[in-house]
Amino acid sequence: MQKYVIALYIRFSIEDYKYDSLSIENQSLVLHEYAASMPEALNAEITEFIDNGYSGTNFERPQVQKLIELVRANQIDCIIVKDFSRFGRNSIETGYFIERVFPLFHTRFISISDDFDSSKFKGDTGGMDVAFKYLISEYYSRDMSIKTKSAKYAKMQRGEYQSKICPYGYRKSADGRMEPDPEAATPPPSRGSCSAEASPLPASTKRRTAITPTIFPAVMASGVRPPFSAFWRTNATPACM
């Protein structure tokens, strides 16, 4: 007897870290509990497909692409997601797969939070309620994108430095702007100590107490100074000047 194959699709984007309910662990728990309650679970093969760190605004996600390929190969009987937004936030593409592709290959689609089960809507699309849920998911993503860009632009207007890591010799101040870093204030070897042929620095200047730019971020993060002084290369000094 052929097994009933249930695919549990999980998506977690960068913006979802604010919500514990959308964590991979919580999504997996909700989906497995629902799948276990289904009558088909007695003779089912349950597989997880997880896209971690991918936006739902498009379907260029490795695991969702793999899932769709298996659907087209008639190897998936049922797909379960926590809500429509986990599967996709593009209303047109999401509707296309749920209303066109999956019914064509006799694949059942279930969205738990939206109380949607395609087996209850055979020959129907689910009505306006489902269509509005597609649109809400899409516009939420667009709204978040606009708000994120606006927040970054406001920070730029205030002169706040946007990158997490400042250039060597600087650090972020309390107000988010760059300021000289006293920890990196020890002067590097002078260019005058280098020969005209740009040969390695003399032994007296090779080993300095000044931490090199390469290991400086790691030293600041760990708070542990290495038991050795790294080499300053000839091209490092002018790059930091």
Side-chain angles (χ1 to χ4, degrees):
M1 184 177 179
Q2 188 176 358
K3 283 190 175 183
Y4 189 82
V5 181
I6 300 175
L8 309 180
Y9 180 71
I10 298 169
R11 182 182 66 81
F12 185 81
S13 68
I14 298 173
E15 294 82 9
D16 295 331
Y17 75 92
K18 306 173 188 175
Y19 309 101
D20 290 337
S21 63
L22 295 179
S23 68
I24 291 176
E25 293 77 13
N26 283 340
Q27 287 187 61
S28 178
L29 179 63
V30 170
L31 297 183
H32 275 283
E33 286 182 349
Y34 188 93
S37 68
M38 297 170 61
E40 295 85 356
L42 296 174
N43 183 45
E45 176 186 333
I46 300 175
T47 308
E48 282 190 353
F49 296 82
I50 303 173
D51 278 318
N52 190 0
Y54 288 87
S55 168
T57 56
N58 61 66
F59 280 81
E60 297 303 316
R61 292 169 258 149
Q63 288 301 302
V64 82
Q65 288 294 324
K66 180 180 178 181
L67 175 59
I68 292 169
E69 286 300 315
L70 290 175
V71 168
R72 287 174 171 155
N74 288 307
Q75 295 181 24
I76 302 292
D77 295 296
C78 179
I79 298 172
I80 307 177
V81 296
K82 185 178 181 296
D83 55 57
F84 286 130
S85 69
R86 296 304 90 201
F87 184 65
R89 289 192 181 276
N90 184 310
S91 60
I92 295 175
E93 287 191 271
T94 301
Y96 169 72
F97 284 110
I98 295 175
E99 298 170 12
R100 300 281 184 176
V101 177
F102 297 156
L104 179 64
F105 293 97
H106 307 288
T107 301
R108 182 181 178 187
F109 186 88
I110 298 173
S111 175
I112 299 173
S113 298
D114 299 302
D115 193 26
F116 176 84
D117 186 341
S118 62
S119 66
K120 300 176 182 177
F121 296 97
K122 289 184 178 179
D124 191 4
T125 61
M128 291 298 293
D129 287 344
V130 173
F132 273 120
K133 286 175 181 177
Y134 294 163
L135 290 172
I136 289 170
S137 294
E138 179 172 353
Y139 278 100
Y140 171 83
S141 179
R142 290 185 181 182
D143 184 54
M144 285 295 293
S145 177
I146 292 171
K147 286 180 178 178
T148 301
K149 289 177 181 178
S150 298
K152 287 186 177 181
Y153 183 74
K155 288 183 178 181
M156 290 170 61
Q157 291 290 89
R158 293 195 298 267
E160 295 183 26
Y161 189 65
Q162 297 298 297
S163 178
K164 290 184 178 180
I165 302 176
C166 293
Y168 179 74
Y170 292 89
R171 67 180 182 185
K172 276 191 177 182
S173 62
D175 61 2
R177 302 187 181 192
M178 280 200 304
E179 66 178 9
D181 187 353
E183 295 290 342
T186 305
S190 63
R191 292 188 66 183
S193 62
C194 305
S195 65
E197 293 77 21
S199 61
L201 296 172
S204 60
T205 59
K206 273 186 180 180
R207 294 189 177 275
R208 295 287 300 261
T209 56
I211 302 173
T212 60
T214 304
I215 64 173
F216 183 80
V219 172
M220 292 299 102
S222 64
V224 179
R225 192 183 184 92
F228 59 88
S229 296
F231 289 90
W232 278 84
R233 298 185 180 276
T234 55
N235 61 347
T237 303
C240 295
M241 301 299 278

